[in-house]
Amino acid sequence: MRGQDHSGLKKLRGPLAGALLGGMLVFVGGAIYAQNAPQIVPRVTGAASPMEDVPAPALARPVIDDKRLMRNYPEQPPVIPHSIDNYQLTLKTNRCLDCHRRQFTEGSGAPMISVTHFMDRNGQVLADVTPRRYFCTACHVQQTDAQPLVPSTFKDMLLVGSEKK
């Protein structure tokens, strides 16, 4: 038995040695990485422990003065200057359209939906609101008295220019 040719073992010796060497490298590399792991950034919001129960903050009160505000930048969707509590927005019902659809604006006094809301992605004008613009609150948000989470130093380019004169 001693000195016999174990051809089956010789065939496995190369791949087995490579697998063991590769496993050792991964293990050593993981241990080195664990010692030099990047520091976790502290949480901005929420509980320190992700499974901890945290009370939800109070909702900001809606501003319901119906004043249309100036937009902060071109192409900004206008904010909704009235309460939208209990508005239904489903596949079959969109309460926003009861006032903002073209044929109802005279009676409601609400501004008409932009003509862009009637265009499909190919620029074709449709008879009714395009499906991709149907869910108003995807872009338009209700105006509230909420304070910004992060302070902003943004200044409108046009207003900054008028201050210098």
Side-chain angles (χ1 to χ4, degrees), residues 12 28 30 33 37 39 44 55 86 96 99-101 106 115 120 122 125 137 139 146 148-150 153 159-160:
L12 285 176
V28 171
Y33 178 78
Q39 297 299 317
V44 177
N86 301 318
C96 302
C99 297
H100 294 278
R101 187 175 267 145
E106 187 176 349
V115 70
D120 67 7
N122 299 321
V125 179
T137 53
C139 299
L149 295 174
V150 178
T153 57
L159 297 177
V160 171

Side-chain angles (χ1 to χ4, degrees), residues 105-124:
T105 56
E106 187 176 349
S108 69
M112 185 182 84
I113 303 169
S114 167
V115 70
T116 59
H117 290 56
F118 294 90
M119 292 182 188
D120 67 7
R121 64 183 66 200
N122 299 321
Q124 238 4 62

